[in-house]
Amino acid sequence: MEPVQALSERIITNVERVIVGKRREVQLVLVALLCRGHVLIEDVPGVGKTVLAKAIARSIGSSFKRIQFTPDLLPSDVTGVSIFNQRTGQFEFRPGPVVAQIVLADEINRATPKTQSALLEAMEESQITVDGLTHRLPDPFIVLATENPIEYEGTFPLPEAQLDRFLIRISLGYPGHRGEVEILNRQHYTHPLNLLEQVVGIDELLAGQEMVKRVFVDDSLKEYIVTIVEATREHDDVYLGAGPRGSLALYNTARAWAAMAGRDYVIPDDIKDLAEPTLAHRLIVSPSARMKNVDGRMVVREILMSLPVPGARPTSPSPERTIGWRSGRSARGTGTNS
C-alpha cells in the first residue's frame, strides 16, 4: 500500500501549508475521499472549515463549488434547473453548484429540510434527478458540509437520515496559541491558499480508491466492528444506535486508514481510531442522558473501553498477515494510539 501512503502524505503535507496543527483532521478528510464518502465539519466560525475544503480541492486538482445555505435557498438552487431555449425549442439543463467533484455545503443547517433533502440523492447515489431526468455527478464526488453547533437561532437541525449519509464527522477546534501565531506569520503578505498547487492527479486518486478496496480484514476484526455497532444499540444512554451503514462506514474507513499507514491489512487500532468519527454522529442519545451532558462521542469511547480487543487469527501465509497483535497494538509496532 505504499502508493496510497505516498499519495496521502503528499496531499496532507500540501494542505498543512494552509491548515496549521490539524493533521489528524486532514487525515480523516482524506480517509473520506479514499472511501468516496462525505464529511460533516461541526465547529464554530472562523477555524478554517472553508479553507480546508478549498485546500483539499486544489491539492488534487478537482472542480470545486461552494453553496451558502440560507433559509430562502431552494432545491433547484442546489441541483439546477431546466430552462426553455427559444432558439432550439427544447428544454436545456443548467446544472447547479452540486455538479462538482468537491462541494462545500456551508452552514447546511441554515437551509430548510426540503432544500437539505436535495443533497440526499447526490450523496447516496452520486446523481441528481431534475424534471424526471437523471444526471450523473462527476467522479470523485464528495460533500464537505459545515455546521455551527453553537448558534441554533434560525437553523434546522439535520434529520437523522441525512446525518447517516455522512461517512465521518470532525471538529477542527481552535489552533492553540503557537498555532495561531503561526497563522498570523503565514498570512503576513498573502493567504497561503493562493500559493497552493496541485500535488496529486485525479487518476492517482481514483487508483488509490481502488487499492483501498484490496486491504485485508480478518474475520475476527469484522466481528469486532459489528460488536461495536451492536453495542451502540444496546447502550443505556442511547435511544437509537447505529445501523448497518455504520458498520460499513467503520469497515471502509479502517481499510483506508490502514492503507494510509502503508499496510495492506487492518489491525484493531485502525478500528478504534475511526470508531468515534464514523459512529458518534449516527447515535441518538436519550433525553435523560442529554440532561447529563452525555453525547455520542462519550458513548463510543465507553464502548471501546468495555469491549475486549480480538487477537490475530492468520488466514494467509503472507508474512505480513501471520504476525499477530495483542491488546489492540500491532506486534510490529505499526499501531496508533488507542
Side-chain angles (χ1 to χ4, degrees):
M1 289 297 154
E2 287 80 6
V4 178
Q5 184 182 28
L7 174 147
S8 304
E9 191 59 37
R10 292 206 306 272
I11 296 176
I12 293 168
T13 301
N14 199 48
V15 173
E16 284 186 320
R17 295 171 57 192
V18 179
I19 303 296
V20 178
K22 300 297 176 183
R23 185 176 182 85
R24 174 174 168 80
E25 286 73 18
V26 176
Q27 288 175 321
L28 290 174
V29 175
L30 194 54
V31 164
L33 200 58
L34 289 170
C35 295
R36 299 173 182 264
H38 311 288
V39 181
L40 178 63
I41 309 174
E42 187 181 73
D43 220 323
V44 296
V47 294
K49 301 186 293 293
T50 302
V51 173
L52 173 60
K54 289 182 177 179
I56 292 287
R58 293 194 181 190
S59 297
I60 66 175
S62 67
S63 57
F64 174 82
K65 294 289 180 65
R66 179 177 181 269
I67 309 173
Q68 182 62 55
F69 280 73
T70 56
D72 59 346
L73 193 73
L74 299 175
S76 58
D77 296 329
V78 175
T79 59
V81 295
S82 295
I83 297 178
F84 183 75
N85 189 323
Q86 292 184 345
R87 287 191 303 173
T88 62
Q90 295 179 336
F91 282 93
E92 297 179 353
F93 174 63
R94 300 289 177 87
V98 76
V99 183
Q101 290 169 317
I102 290 186
V103 176
L104 174 62
D106 210 0
E107 295 186 299
I108 188 173
N109 56 329
R110 290 201 174 278
T112 61
K114 183 176 181 179
T115 302
Q116 291 177 13
S117 66
L119 280 176
L120 288 178
E121 182 184 11
M123 294 172 65
E124 184 67 20
E125 303 176 34
S126 295
Q127 66 181 32
I128 54 174
T129 302
V130 179
D131 294 336
L133 296 177
T134 299
H135 306 272
R136 295 295 304 176
L137 295 174
D139 191 24
F141 172 74
I142 177 173
V143 173
L144 298 175
T146 69
E147 175 177 58
N148 183 354
I150 303 300
E151 188 179 350
Y152 291 110
E153 185 176 350
T155 63
F156 301 86
L158 295 179
E160 287 73 23
Q162 188 163 356
L163 278 174
D164 203 40
R165 295 303 200 280
F166 288 100
L167 182 72
I168 284 176
R169 181 182 66 179
I170 65 173
S171 177
L172 292 178
Y174 294 118
H177 181 81
R178 301 185 70 173
E180 200 157 348
V181 171
E182 178 63 22
I183 291 173
L184 299 181
N185 291 333
R186 292 188 184 186
Q187 299 192 30
H188 184 73
Y189 293 106
T190 184
H191 199 295
L193 186 64
N194 299 330
L195 306 176
L196 215 59
E197 298 179 351
Q198 178 181 351
V199 295
V200 169
I202 293 295
D203 291 340
E204 288 181 88
L205 177 62
L206 295 176
Q209 291 175 341
E210 293 302 314
M211 292 187 69
V212 166
K213 297 177 182 178
R214 299 200 293 269
V215 173
F216 172 80
V217 185
D218 188 77
D219 286 344
S220 64
L221 295 185
K222 295 176 185 177
E223 294 278 353
Y224 184 46
I225 290 172
V226 174
T227 301
I228 292 172
V229 175
E230 286 180 337
T232 67
R233 304 168 192 165
E234 301 166 358
H235 197 280
D236 292 339
D237 291 331
V238 177
Y239 175 73
L240 187 65
R245 189 183 281 123
S247 299
L248 285 170
L250 186 52
Y251 177 75
N252 291 327
T253 54
R255 290 193 295 173
W257 196 253
M260 288 170 59
R263 286 181 274 104
D264 66 345
Y265 59 94
V266 171
I267 62 175
D269 273 352
D270 299 326
I271 296 170
K272 295 171 74 175
D273 280 341
L274 274 300
E276 185 180 321
T278 57
L279 296 180
H281 63 286
R282 304 173 194 272
L283 310 183
I284 302 179
V285 179
S286 65
S288 59
R290 285 199 298 270
M291 292 178 64
K292 296 181 290 184
N293 293 323
V294 174
D295 60 14
R297 295 182 178 91
M298 297 171 62
V299 170
V300 174
R301 291 184 205 131
E302 182 181 329
I303 289 172
L304 292 176
M305 291 291 291
S306 64
L307 292 179
V309 178
R313 191 171 60 189
T315 59
S316 167
S318 168
E320 298 161 321
R321 294 177 184 167
T322 55
I323 295 176
W325 50 78
R326 187 183 300 276
S327 298
R329 191 169 297 281
S330 168
R332 298 173 63 188
T334 55
T336 55
N337 293 332
S338 46

